[in-house]
Amino acid sequence: MSGQEVDSAFLLAELRLDGSDDDFSSAKGVDVCSGPGWATLGVDERHSTSADEQAAELVALLTPRRPALDALRKAGRSVKVDVAGVAESGSKLALSPGVLAGLAELGLPVAFTTVRASGEDEEDPLAWLG
């Protein structure tokens, strides 16, 4: 999410994840990061090494918060889902039809960002936030 006055505390409060949701506060591999004017809610390999399971966890966290996501977008915030990871030669990214349907039902733009296995980024995966 990006926009004026957006940071981790703002994201947590707007999505009602600021301590009132035990599932979020104890979820392994689910983090919030922020910088000037942006914040992200991420599910990483500590939750699961499977991109499908990571995306499913994100969908599970966001689905009951769709009205809050809609309100943020109406207020002018940029909100999207970015599935990001390392691309290696011959690798593939597989998301199940159920997870893809869940992402679609969120009503948010979905992007796929990859970086090279060498560690040399083609682009900054968070560039859209700036």
Side-chain angles (χ1 to χ4, degrees):
M1 167 189 322
S2 64
Q4 193 172 11
E5 300 177 8
V6 172
D7 61 13
S8 293
F10 178 86
L11 175 65
L12 291 170
E14 291 298 310
L15 295 182
R16 293 171 187 83
L17 295 170
D18 52 359
S20 60
D21 186 335
D22 292 333
D23 291 339
F24 171 75
S25 61
S26 64
K28 183 178 178 185
V30 180
D31 289 315
V32 175
C33 299
S34 69
W38 63 268
T40 64
L41 173 66
V43 181
D44 63 31
E45 65 278 352
R46 291 172 298 150
H47 174 76
S48 170
T49 56
S50 160
D52 190 64
E53 290 177 9
Q54 292 171 18
E57 177 68 13
L58 185 64
V59 168
L61 282 168
L62 295 180
T63 296
R65 294 166 176 86
R66 184 164 177 198
L69 295 169
D70 293 341
L72 288 165
R73 292 182 71 197
K74 286 180 184 170
R77 304 297 196 268
S78 174
V79 182
K80 76 172 190 173
V81 173
D82 190 355
V83 179
V86 176
E88 298 180 26
S89 179
S91 65
K92 65 179 180 177
L93 172 68
L95 296 179
S96 67
V99 168
L100 291 171
L103 288 169
E105 288 173 11
L106 290 174
L108 300 173
V110 177
F112 295 88
T113 303
T114 59
V115 294
R116 292 182 188 174
S118 67
E120 296 177 21
D121 297 348
E122 290 284 328
E123 66 178 87
D124 180 0
L126 300 176
W128 69 276
L129 295 167

